[in-house]
Amino acid sequence: MDRRTLIVSGLATLGAAGAAKAQEPGQNGPYQTPTYPASPPAYPNQNHPNQTYPNPGEAPAEPFTREEMVNNVSDFLGVTAEAAGGAIERVFRDNGRPTAYIAGQEASGAISVGARYGKGLLYMKNRAPLEVYWQGPSVGWDLGGNASRVFTLCYNLQYPEILFQRFPGVEGAAYLVGGLGVNYLQSDEVILAPIRAGVGLRLGANIGYLGFSRKRRTWPF
């Protein structure tokens, strides 16, 4: 075998050995293929739409305690803590802790057919107070007029926007406790419990509803 043949044979042998070594798996090799997960990691509400995550904007409203409501009703309506506590105790026993309340003033009058107008502020925890208006008609054995303050406890009201609708009166849900008049209004799951004092009671035999709005309305219907 001549010299040229030996050189070509040696180069071919070295090339084959190098290629085989490059294909062998090992830690000392020049390159290793990285391992990837079978599927990309799941991100909230993308790959798992049914997975829920806390969202501060959708958190349920935080309810008020009995002590908070007794103090607020007593201060706003100008009644004793005992009188406020009696009314609050009755409402809490019926419905539990409210998620919001409205403190405002209203005027009403009736000659069989009546109307009621009011204005106040809606309070919810961790939210700024919101100005609201309400108006509504009533029909029944009712005569007279009054202007009074009214403190309304709101139940199952998780967002302020839900308030802006009509709330019919609940039949047979008007009573006096400690000189304060309480009646119930309800629409679906939301219950309102207006508390009125003194001449502002007017809990005569009448039926009707209250409609809440962001702006004042002159037409009560």
Side-chain angles (χ1 to χ4, degrees), residues 66 69 73 84-98 151-155 173 175 177 180-184 191-195:
R66 178 186 180 279
M69 292 295 92
V73 170
I88 292 298
E89 187 68 31
R90 172 67 181 268
V91 179
F92 268 57
R93 186 171 65 250
D94 291 344
N95 302 285
R97 298 168 62 186
F151 192 100
T152 302
L153 279 65
C154 308
Y155 290 90
Y175 50 85
V177 178
L180 300 176
V182 183
N183 69 298
Y184 289 153
I191 299 174
L192 306 182
I195 302 176

Side-chain angles (χ1 to χ4, degrees), residues 33 49 94 97 105 112 116 136 144 148 152 166 206:
T33 303
D94 291 344
R97 298 168 62 186
Q105 299 179 341
S112 294
R116 189 185 298 273
S148 63
T152 302
R166 291 179 176 178
N206 62 74

Side-chain angles (χ1 to χ4, degrees), residues 8 42 57 71 94 103 106 117 122 129 141 148-149 153-154 176 217:
V8 171
N71 293 333
D94 291 344
E106 67 178 19
Y117 295 89
L122 172 68
W141 297 101
S148 63
R149 290 188 174 188
L153 279 65
C154 308
L176 296 173
R217 296 178 179 175

